[in-house]
Amino acid sequence: MKAIILAAGQGRRLLPLTSNMPKCCLPLHGTSILEWQLSQIAQCGIDEVVVVSGFESEMVDSVVNRVNGVNVRTLHNPMFAHTDNLGTCWEAR
């Protein structure tokens, strides 16, 4: 089974916290939201996770590179600023 995490947006409703950091990289009790998601997915028998990034994608890649226990790859949505979740899903197809 595969999972997709849509993490392309900036999270503008959380500004100024997300002015230089994507929402999924924000720390929650010392661990990024994305790491929390991936650690829970790893416990569910998921074979592969695709994280679709956009805003500050290098930070998302950095988080993904730290994760063990689940096969994770990233895709970049270059049109993230002009599309919504549907556009990000299309990129992951």
Side-chain angles (χ1 to χ4, degrees), residues 16-35:
L17 295 174
T18 57
S19 59
N20 296 313
M21 179 183 297
K23 176 173 53 178
C24 68
C25 294
L26 290 174
L28 181 63
H29 297 289
T31 303
S32 73
I33 293 170
L34 182 56
E35 287 175 283

Side-chain angles (χ1 to χ4, degrees), residues 3 6 9-10 15 20 29-30 50 55 59-61 64 69 80 83:
L6 305 179
Q10 179 180 4
L15 285 170
N20 296 313
H29 297 289
V50 177
F55 176 73
M59 288 184 173
V60 176
D61 291 339
V64 166
F80 72 91
T83 62

Side-chain angles (χ1 to χ4, degrees), residues 65-84:
N65 290 335
R66 292 193 305 256
V67 172
N68 296 312
V70 64
N71 181 23
V72 184
R73 64 187 174 98
T74 58
L75 291 174
H76 178 68
N77 176 3
M79 299 296 292
F80 72 91
H82 307 289
T83 62
D84 56 11

